[in-house]
Amino acid sequence: MIALLALIVGVVLGLVLQPTIPAALQRYVPIAVVAALDAVFGASRALLDGIFNDRVFVISFIGNVLVAALVVFLGDQLGVGAQLSTGVVVVFSIRIFANAAA
């Protein structure tokens, strides 16, 4: 319940404060959001299955975001950033829909 309230507060603060994102990081924000959504939907599924663990959720949340950003960063360095960004979004989207379906 606390996580849901924190999510709602975060969304409201984002809408009210309208923070600006530096241009260098703008490529990574959509990827990070999709990765974070994957962790949230995975946690929702674990909660419904009765196996939710808050530590696993936090590690999954941070790990998903960092790994997705790292993959896109490496893709940018190799000159194939757009393709890897698409791949990351597709993989996390499949996981989100699989968790929602379950």
Side-chain angles (χ1 to χ4, degrees):
M1 187 66 174
I2 294 173
L4 181 62
L5 291 174
L7 178 67
I8 292 170
V9 169
V11 168
V12 169
L13 283 175
L15 291 173
V16 171
L17 299 176
Q18 295 182 355
T20 57
I21 300 167
L25 299 178
Q26 287 181 352
R27 290 189 39 79
Y28 303 104
V29 172
I31 304 301
V33 168
V34 172
L37 283 174
D38 173 55
V40 169
F41 276 92
S44 300
R45 179 180 179 187
L47 185 64
L48 293 174
D49 290 342
I51 58 171
F52 177 77
N53 184 338
D54 57 344
R55 293 178 184 166
V56 171
F57 169 69
V58 170
I59 290 170
S60 172
F61 187 90
I62 294 170
N64 277 359
V65 171
L66 290 177
V67 168
L70 179 66
V71 167
V72 174
F73 174 76
L74 290 175
D76 285 344
Q77 298 303 311
L78 295 171
V80 292
Q83 291 86 353
L84 283 179
S85 295
T86 303
V88 168
V89 169
V90 167
V91 168
F92 281 122
S93 297
I94 290 170
R95 288 174 43 116
I96 288 170
F97 284 115
N99 284 329

